[in-house]
Amino acid sequence: MSQQACTPHAFNQKTFNACQTLRVLNSTIHWSYYPSKGTVDVAFSQAVVSDSRWVAWAINPTSTGMVGSQAIVAFRRTDGTMNIYSSPIKSYATRLEQGNLSFPLFDVSAIYENNQIVIFATIGLPNNVSVVNHVWQQGPLSGNIPQMHSVSGPNVQSFGTLDFLSGKVETIRRATSSVFKVKISHGIINTVSWGMLMPVGAIVARHFKAADPAWFHVHRACQMLGYLGGVAGFATGVWLGHKSSGIEYKGHRCIGITLMALATLQVLVALCLRPKKTDKRRVFWNWFHYLLGYGTIVLGVVNILKGFDILQPGKIWKISYLITIIVIGCVAVILEARKWLSLWKRKTAQAAEEKTDMPIEV
């Protein structure tokens, strides 16, 4: 989807060679591109409903969308002066902290006039590319502190590509982004494998051994499918990490690596080191198998929830998974209570029978 051209005009007596009206958030981008220098002068303007709003424009050298963007942020302070600074966006939980960008930035300034904020900057283009992924945004202020922008409507549509040479500005649809597709696949695969199949397999092993040997085949199928899905999810995570250089989700990554190591160890122990049922060491193997399995399930659920916070697919998806895992957990609790109640009744009946069989002293 192409944007509408606009008429270049002067800001503070500074003129630009080209401009385009962006499709959302009442924004316009003006620029002059210098191929021999590998630089571009930009003026990004955005209309704001009040002066208590921040605006930002960014180039994303590594991907599309917000994370990885190298942003220039501007807003009008409570005393009427302008504040403008650079901010590398490393996660969706960013607070727009000030920091250095991954490419050179010169002559940065901003003005507020006619209910719009205009950002000026000269940018040293990464590898002198003329086509860039860009993102623009706005949000509320609390005093002089930027707050979270809206996560629906125009605020999640404000990204695309910009060709400084031809003047072509296009929308990037998330559904066509290969990285975004892999992110979605990564989330779905891991949610189903670690977050559903693994817990169900554990419940089957714990509470359905009376249906021998069917329980074992179901348990093994759930765990192996879960593990293979986990391997695929881990592989997509490694690929995404490679494609997102400089962007780190340390907690999510560390748990993922630990999860993969524990699950692999569990598979090796189950397939290669399982003693026979008559072996005296079987009780120790059972405890190790239980602890490793339940630990893997807990870590898997925790990391899935972290993944939802990173990907931000929409609250309905996280809520749906929470409902699913709560239902699975409730089923496990009910079955566990039933198991212990049955055990208590059996012991009570056995004790009563033993008391009845005791000889009566005369």
Side-chain angles (χ1 to χ4, degrees):
M1 179 178 175
S2 298
Q3 314 300 294
Q4 295 180 349
C6 59
T7 303
H9 67 277
F11 293 98
N12 285 354
Q13 299 182 344
K14 187 172 184 178
T15 59
F16 296 87
N17 297 331
C19 72
Q20 287 281 354
T21 300
L22 303 177
R23 69 187 185 111
V24 292
L25 297 179
N26 298 316
S27 302
T28 304
I29 182 76
H30 302 249
W31 72 88
S32 296
Y33 176 48
Y34 305 99
S36 61
K37 297 179 181 179
T39 63
V40 60
D41 294 340
V42 298
F44 171 76
S45 62
Q46 187 174 108
V48 291
V49 294
S50 73
D51 58 3
S52 59
R53 305 284 293 179
W54 60 264
V55 305
W57 180 79
I59 289 176
N60 192 329
T62 59
S63 182
T64 60
M66 174 179 168
V67 176
S69 296
Q70 308 294 301
I72 307 170
V73 183
F75 60 85
R76 195 180 189 191
R77 297 188 184 96
T78 53
D79 62 5
T81 60
M82 294 300 297
N83 186 24
I84 184 165
Y85 61 92
S86 58
S87 177
I89 310 301
K90 299 178 180 179
S91 75
Y92 287 109
T94 181
R95 296 178 181 271
L96 294 178
E97 297 91 344
Q98 185 170 348
N100 295 325
L101 304 187
S102 63
F103 47 75
L105 192 63
F106 313 99
D107 302 329
V108 183
S109 62
I111 60 172
Y112 178 85
E113 63 177 15
N114 301 324
N115 292 322
Q116 69 175 357
I117 293 177
V118 186
I119 294 173
F120 302 96
T122 298
I123 296 168
L125 293 170
N127 301 316
N128 196 16
V129 296
S130 63
V131 181
V132 297
N133 300 314
H134 73 136
V135 185
W136 62 101
Q137 195 56 264
Q138 71 165 255
L141 290 169
S142 177
N144 291 323
I145 301 174
Q147 302 297 303
M148 181 66 182
H149 64 75
S150 172
V151 291
S152 63
N155 292 85
V156 295
Q157 301 169 10
S158 53
F159 62 100
T161 61
L162 171 58
D163 189 336
F164 292 121
L165 190 59
S166 70
K168 192 175 183 180
V169 182
E170 291 188 336
T171 299
I172 299 175
R173 295 187 182 276
R174 285 187 180 270
T176 62
S177 166
S178 61
V179 174
F180 186 74
K181 284 182 178 180
V182 175
K183 285 181 180 179
I184 295 296
S185 300
H186 175 76
I188 293 173
I189 291 169
N190 284 308
T191 300
V192 173
S193 56
W194 299 117
M196 294 182 185
L197 287 172
M198 289 283 191
V200 169
I203 290 174
V204 169
R206 175 70 176 166
H207 300 289
F208 294 93
K209 288 184 178 178
D212 194 41
W215 76 266
F216 178 73
H217 297 307
V218 174
H219 168 70
R220 183 171 59 182
C222 286
Q223 304 312 87
M224 287 307 298
L225 286 173
Y227 176 72
L228 292 174
V231 172
F234 184 78
T236 56
V238 171
W239 185 86
L240 287 169
H242 176 71
K243 287 291 184 179
S244 306
S245 178
I247 305 169
E248 292 187 2
Y249 301 103
K250 291 183 179 179
H252 188 63
R253 182 185 63 181
C254 289
I255 294 175
I257 293 171
T258 304
L259 196 57
M260 199 69 243
L262 291 178
T264 301
L265 179 61
Q266 178 79 308
V267 170
L268 293 175
V269 167
L271 294 179
C272 306
L273 301 176
R274 182 175 60 188
K276 294 181 179 180
K277 291 182 179 180
T278 55
D279 195 313
K280 292 181 179 179
R281 294 170 297 179
R282 179 67 180 237
V283 64
F284 300 107
W285 182 91
N286 284 341
W287 275 107
F288 184 77
H289 187 61
Y290 294 155
L291 292 174
L292 206 57
Y294 289 125
T296 300
I297 290 170
V298 171
L299 282 177
V301 172
V302 169
N303 218 28
I304 287 166
L305 295 177
K306 281 184 171 290
F308 276 115
D309 292 337
I310 293 168
L311 187 59
Q312 289 190 334
K315 289 184 179 180
I316 185 63
W317 297 103
K318 185 175 182 179
I319 292 172
S320 297
Y321 176 68
L322 284 171
I323 292 172
T324 301
I325 201 64
I326 288 171
V327 169
I328 293 174
C330 289
V331 170
V333 169
I334 292 170
L335 290 173
E336 191 68 22
R338 182 183 174 187
K339 184 183 183 76
W340 283 98
L341 180 61
S342 177
L343 180 62
W344 176 78
K345 286 182 177 180
R346 189 163 61 248
K347 285 186 176 181
T348 302
Q350 185 179 356
E353 186 178 341
E354 289 176 354
K355 187 175 181 180
T356 301
D357 292 340
M358 289 179 61
I360 301 175
E361 296 182 3
V362 180

